[in-house]
Amino acid sequence: MTVDLSPTMPRYYVTTPIYYVNDVPHLGHAYTTVACDALARFMRLDGRDVRFTTGTDEHGQKVAKSAAATGLEPGAFTDQVSERFRSLVEAVGAAPNDFIRTTEDRHYRSVQEIWRRLVQRDEIYTGKYEGWYSVRDEAYLAESELVRQPDGSFRAASGAPVEWVAESSYFFRLSSWQEPLLRWYAEHPDFIGPESRRNEVVRFVEGGLEDLSVSRTSFRWGIPVPDDPEHVIYVWVDALTNYLTSAGFPDEGSETYDRFWPANLHVVGKDIVRFHAVYWPAMLLAAGLAPPRRVFAHGWWTVEGQKMSKSVGNVVDPFQLVQEYGLDQVRYFLLREVPFGNDGDYSRAAMIHRANADLANDYGNLAQRVLTLIQRNCGGAIPEPGPAAAEDDGLLQAAARLGPELRPLMETQQMHAALRALWDVIRAANAYIDHAAPWALARTDMGRCQTVLSVLLEVLRRVAIFSQPFVPVGAAAILDQLAVPADRRNFSDADEALTPGTPLDPPTPVFPRLAS
Ligand code: MSP
């Protein structure tokens, strides 16, 4: 794909889906948040003007039902659960610019405005919906999409139960957007990633689109249709609009809106691609607004080989995970274990293996070894390097290439590949230290010993700078131990070498080994 790295487009707006507050956060939610946070941190460190948003999807029948089951009013219920999602953001070390709730006034205004525009442009008409609906997926389904069960009943392909709905409803003229959408996909080959999802979406749209029911009358928990409060706006229309609301819509003249819309990237799970890559761009085009630049769908996690589900009782609690294994360890595992876009399996053994092999052994040991040798052999200060040998240059250059290598990978959401590139340098540094044996040089050739350690410090510094988006806690600790000032840790500072003579504190281990 083509990658736009032009310095005239420095802003970057990335979003997570907003999470349903029908239940508490699980591993899947933590995954999208961590992935977007790593992207946002990377772009910030690279000097981009970043907006990263997340939040909670609080309306609709599913949430109303969950609230009723607890005996709480929907508003009180969503206040409670939304707070858990806010805590999750913190627990996984994410730093969004906004946490949006669909129950906020700013969002009501935004959703009602987009509705009015669709009405003005004759994109919405009244009718009656008669058909299947899955409350769990909050989706209208054609009979052809249902799966017949052994007992003769129907379910959605996701396994969710469906119910027959017959109620008066407003409709969006989605069918008339089939051709414009296909044109949009053709003219914007990067609009949907990965490629397999793109093909799936194009095939779906080529198969024909039906008008979409966009209001409900059988319950009240939602944003009312302007001038017709008997109807609440379909929860997906409400939810998708969060991306606009957070960017300042409907204040189109506002600085935020001008700066950040259209979004650069919506990261979503594979189950909600259709909403983001079909309904959403159609709605935006119909309302005269620009669609986002890209929608990327990640895969799903199973747990110890099984689908994660409440009934199986294997739902992974991300708070517990972070507490048990550590924040960096969880982030690293999620981003490294599978190529972003593929499904993955979480297991305790895999988690511990990743943390120990890659973080404790490769990265942590490298830092500890180098910094300990500095204490022992260089009087605890950054040494003055002598002339570089060929093997020094090879390693230094590999580390200096990290920026140019990582940039296109992160621009295309290949976090696993970015981590692989970082670890190639870490492993090369470990091989270099084993081969150069600075502890032996300390007895035979002090000048060469200092050069080797100085090369290693430089490589460690670059690795630490570029690993900040992924393992922010450990990377910061290493940069502290290298005495790199907190305001000199951006990618643009990467070429600024350490100053010989700077004293360094005795090291403390950064990535502990986990007990299996
Ligand atoms: N509220 C909608 C999104 C609206 S965005 C305008 C929603 N919410 S959700 O809470 O059900 O799901 C949020 C995200 O979690 C989705 O992207 C979904 O794919 C993801 N995951 C849910 N279970 C997951 C796994 N087991 N593994 C990975 N991601 C998973 O959908």
Side-chain angles (χ1 to χ4, degrees):
M1 66 176 278
T2 49
V3 177
D4 180 11
L5 297 174
S6 79
T8 52
M9 284 298 298
R11 56 101 201 191
Y12 189 80
Y13 178 21
V14 57
T15 65
T16 76
I18 47 170
Y19 304 115
Y20 284 131
V21 290
N22 64 305
D23 209 346
V24 294
H26 59 59
L27 183 67
H29 305 117
Y31 185 43
T32 326
T33 301
V34 164
C36 290
D37 183 64
L39 289 165
R41 281 177 188 265
F42 188 94
M43 301 304 168
R44 277 189 203 120
L45 287 165
D46 208 17
R48 308 265 299 253
D49 178 14
V50 172
R51 184 171 185 81
F52 160 34
T53 66
T54 186
T56 43
D57 185 353
E58 307 191 8
H59 291 130
Q61 208 175 354
K62 162 154 125 169
V63 171
K65 269 188 166 176
S66 299
T70 64
L72 289 172
E73 285 300 313
F77 174 74
T78 56
D79 280 351
Q80 231 173 54
V81 188
S82 177
E83 233 8 81
R84 296 288 294 162
F85 281 91
R86 212 185 274 270
S87 315
L88 172 74
V89 167
E90 216 172 292
V92 297
N97 300 77
D98 190 10
F99 185 98
I100 181 165
R101 300 183 55 186
T102 53
T103 43
E104 290 175 62
D105 287 347
R106 59 172 171 159
H107 185 62
Y108 271 63
R109 221 158 61 80
S110 166
V111 171
Q112 292 195 328
E113 179 57 24
I114 198 166
W115 183 277
R116 279 192 204 97
R117 290 193 193 189
L118 291 169
V119 169
Q120 271 160 18
R121 291 167 165 256
D122 190 31
E123 293 287 350
I124 282 181
Y125 61 90
T126 46
K128 182 170 182 197
Y129 179 77
E130 226 170 325
W132 297 102
Y133 192 80
S134 155
V135 176
R136 202 163 90 194
D137 300 334
E138 294 284 17
Y140 301 95
L141 296 160
E143 190 132 335
S144 59
E145 293 180 288
L146 303 182
V147 183
R148 193 184 276 279
Q149 303 301 296
D151 67 0
S153 69
F154 286 118
R155 279 187 181 248
S158 64
V162 291
E163 56 193 45
W164 185 258
V165 169
E167 60 191 41
S168 71
S169 170
Y170 285 91
F171 284 84
F172 166 51
R173 297 188 196 281
L174 180 64
S175 59
S176 68
W177 289 93
Q178 181 187 9
E179 286 311 317
L181 278 175
L182 290 171
R183 249 195 331 271
W184 186 268
Y185 305 145
E187 284 165 10
H188 301 86
D190 303 334
F191 180 63
I192 306 164
E195 194 65 23
S196 55
R197 297 287 163 216
R198 177 189 157 78
N199 297 337
E200 197 180 285
V201 167
V202 171
R203 270 198 309 274
F204 172 75
V205 175
E206 279 172 351
L209 295 174
E210 284 181 27
D211 288 350
L212 180 69
S213 164
V214 284
S215 73
R216 304 286 313 267
T217 41
S218 52
F219 63 93
R220 307 249 47 82
W221 182 237
I223 299 181
V225 165
D227 309 318
D228 195 355
E230 286 303 297
H231 290 252
V232 293
I233 296 175
Y234 174 37
V235 65
W236 269 101
V237 171
D238 170 340
L240 288 161
T241 306
N242 93 84
Y243 304 130
L244 277 176
T245 309
S246 179
F249 186 81
D251 302 325
E252 282 163 284
S254 71
E255 206 225 325
T256 311
Y257 187 83
D258 273 357
R259 231 158 90 209
F260 292 110
W261 195 260
N264 294 66
L265 178 68
H266 296 323
V267 175
V268 301
K270 63 179 182 179
D271 53 319
I272 53 175
V273 175
R274 186 183 299 179
F275 299 97
H276 285 82
V278 180
Y279 302 166
W280 182 225
M283 271 170 58
L284 287 165
L285 289 169
L289 298 166
R293 296 238 161 83
R294 183 165 164 90
V295 174
F296 188 94
H298 64 66
W300 268 43
W301 288 95
T302 49
V303 173
E304 311 274 352
Q306 269 192 308
K307 193 174 169 195
M308 188 163 63
S309 96
K310 253 179 153 174
S311 50
V312 179
N314 64 347
V315 175
V316 176
D317 173 358
F319 296 97
Q320 217 178 326
L321 217 56
V322 168
Q323 202 165 31
E324 196 166 344
Y325 304 114
L327 189 153
D328 284 340
Q329 285 73 4
V330 171
R331 289 174 66 107
Y332 180 78
F333 173 83
L334 292 175
L335 298 176
R336 180 64 185 87
E337 189 67 4
V338 292
F340 202 55
N342 292 8
D343 292 335
D345 184 50
Y346 165 81
S347 70
R348 183 183 156 78
M351 171 80 228
I352 291 175
H353 179 74
R354 277 279 166 209
N356 285 346
D358 298 6
L359 291 175
N361 289 0
D362 292 343
Y363 194 3
N365 272 352
L366 174 67
Q368 187 66 16
R369 283 167 99 187
V370 173
L371 292 165
T372 305
L373 286 164
I374 297 288
Q375 294 299 318
R376 286 208 191 123
N377 303 299
C378 306
I382 294 172
E384 189 81 51
E391 64 168 343
D392 306 344
D393 281 338
L395 182 60
L396 285 170
Q397 279 161 20
R401 278 195 303 269
L402 279 172
E405 268 178 37
L406 265 47
R407 250 173 227 124
L409 294 172
M410 294 301 277
E411 195 68 42
T412 52
Q413 299 82 45
Q414 299 185 66
M415 276 77 88
H416 62 288
L419 286 170
R420 210 158 45 205
L422 266 163
W423 256 255
D424 283 347
V425 174
I426 292 173
R427 293 197 178 116
N430 276 321
Y432 170 91
I433 192 171
D434 289 343
H435 181 250
W439 50 90
L441 288 171
R443 295 191 296 270
T444 56
D445 183 349
M446 199 53 196
R448 181 67 196 143
C449 170
Q450 292 198 348
T451 304
V452 166
L453 289 177
S454 136
V455 166
L456 285 162
L457 283 177
E458 279 308 312
V459 171
L460 192 57
R461 183 182 61 80
R462 284 188 192 266
V463 165
I465 286 186
F466 286 100
S467 64
Q468 292 175 96
F470 310 97
V471 286
V473 181
I478 293 174
L479 289 164
D480 287 346
Q481 298 189 33
L482 291 171
V484 175
D487 59 353
R488 306 318 280 268
R489 297 177 180 184
N490 292 322
F491 298 166
S492 59
D493 302 315
D495 289 335
E496 214 170 281
L498 296 164
T499 314
T502 310
L504 300 182
D505 290 333
T508 42
V510 171
F511 299 110
R513 259 195 91 74
L514 302 178
S516 45

